[in-house]
Amino acid sequence: MSSHKDSQMFEGGKSQNVLNGNGASHGEWGRAWKIDWFSLISVIFLLSCSPFMVYYFIMSCDQYHCSLSEPAIQLLTGKVHLLDIWRKTPSFSWKILIVYFCWVMFQAFLFMIPDFCHKFIPGFRGGVQEGAISPAGRTIFIVSSTVFFR
């Protein structure tokens, strides 16, 4: 059987009775516990529409000289059909795959730089940083790729 105190914490309520050693309520630490429907629907919309948005931007730059409104206007007025746009889409090439792979490797290299810089730059504070202390007393570690000096 749960008490009123426990139900307040699960619902994200502010309980002044249950405080940890730092004086912060357990229900208020970290990210929001209550998620509204607008946020949930927005995240689902972004996740499901991201590939189409990327294709739309590539197609508008390739076929319409980077005009974002022109493809939509031409589709709505009937001057062009979806199959016409699809036929003009650039095909797959190994050169593009190699460029993409090199870009990902470059990003991985940039991600690893802060872990090595602290060894030879005095006062450098990049890489893995200690973050907030959780209510359970554990330290959260954050990977930072920005440059911090003491």
Side-chain angles (χ1 to χ4, degrees), residues 30 34 68 91 121 124 129:
K34 282 188 170 182
L68 294 178
S91 61
I121 299 177
F124 183 80
Q129 299 285 320

Side-chain angles (χ1 to χ4, degrees), residues 7 14 32 40 79 88 113 115-116 123 128 146-147:
S7 66
K14 297 177 182 177
L40 181 65
K79 293 181 181 176
K88 294 180 190 175
I113 285 176
D115 289 335
F116 296 111
V128 179
T146 57
V147 177

Side-chain angles (χ1 to χ4, degrees), residues 3 12 16 31-32 43 45 47-48 52 55 68 83 94 99 106 109 130 140-141 150:
S3 66
Q16 296 298 325
R31 296 187 179 201
V43 167
F45 174 77
L47 288 174
S48 61
F52 300 110
Y55 176 75
L68 294 178
L83 287 176
W94 288 102
V99 168
F106 177 66
F109 171 73
E130 289 187 11
I140 298 172
F141 292 97
R150 290 182 190 156

